[in-house]
Amino acid sequence: QADLDRLTSGGAPNTLSDHKLAVTVAALGCRKAVPDAFTGPTAGYLPLATTTGHLFAFARTNEAGPQVLTLVTRLPVELARLGGWDSHTVTLPDGCWRDVMTGAEYPGGSTIIADIVTDLPVALLRRVDP
């Protein structure tokens, strides 16, 4: 509880457990903010195109389209052996997307993965209302 309180009060993650907790809190925040993209008759799943097999990327959708994007590194040891993300891309849906962990924003379209997946091996992006 103390770690959760510290992280939700703006404290930085210090350990691997802290990072995992911070990602979980962010994901639950997205689920709370856009519940119909996760459950119910309009909830959907949309895989995102990538130029590498080392990224698992998908959108959670509702009747208005993609709402939350999840990007997860796959096989990180092999990825590192191959030299990292290099110029590999992911295609983000149209719109503006904010990383709920870092606050960075990205436009829709083809985006260099290394520009998004930086400090953590995952990214969680939420649609920014126009």
Side-chain angles (χ1 to χ4, degrees):
Q1 182 64 47
D3 289 340
L4 179 60
D5 290 343
R6 181 176 48 78
L7 291 171
T8 56
S9 297
N14 297 321
T15 65
L16 180 59
S17 293
D18 281 355
H19 284 286
K20 289 178 181 179
L21 183 58
V23 169
T24 301
V25 168
L28 290 173
C30 287
R31 186 179 173 110
K32 182 178 180 181
V34 200
D36 60 341
F38 292 87
T39 61
T42 64
Y45 167 90
L46 176 69
L48 302 179
T50 72
T51 60
T52 177
H54 289 281
L55 188 73
F56 180 62
F58 65 93
R60 294 303 310 218
T61 66
N62 62 17
E63 69 278 348
Q67 299 299 313
V68 177
L69 311 180
T70 302
L71 286 68
V72 180
T73 303
R74 291 186 66 241
L75 307 169
V77 172
E78 179 69 8
L79 176 64
R81 186 185 70 73
L82 294 171
W85 294 117
D86 193 31
S87 60
H88 285 289
T89 62
V90 59
T91 302
L92 304 181
D94 290 340
C96 183
W97 300 93
R98 179 177 298 129
D99 188 323
V100 299
M101 303 289 296
T102 67
E105 291 189 2
Y106 307 94
S110 183
T111 305
I112 300 291
I113 296 168
D115 291 345
I116 302 174
V117 181
T118 55
D119 297 333
L120 296 172
V122 300
L124 190 60
L125 292 82
R126 206 167 131 216
R127 178 176 295 285
V128 176
D129 291 330

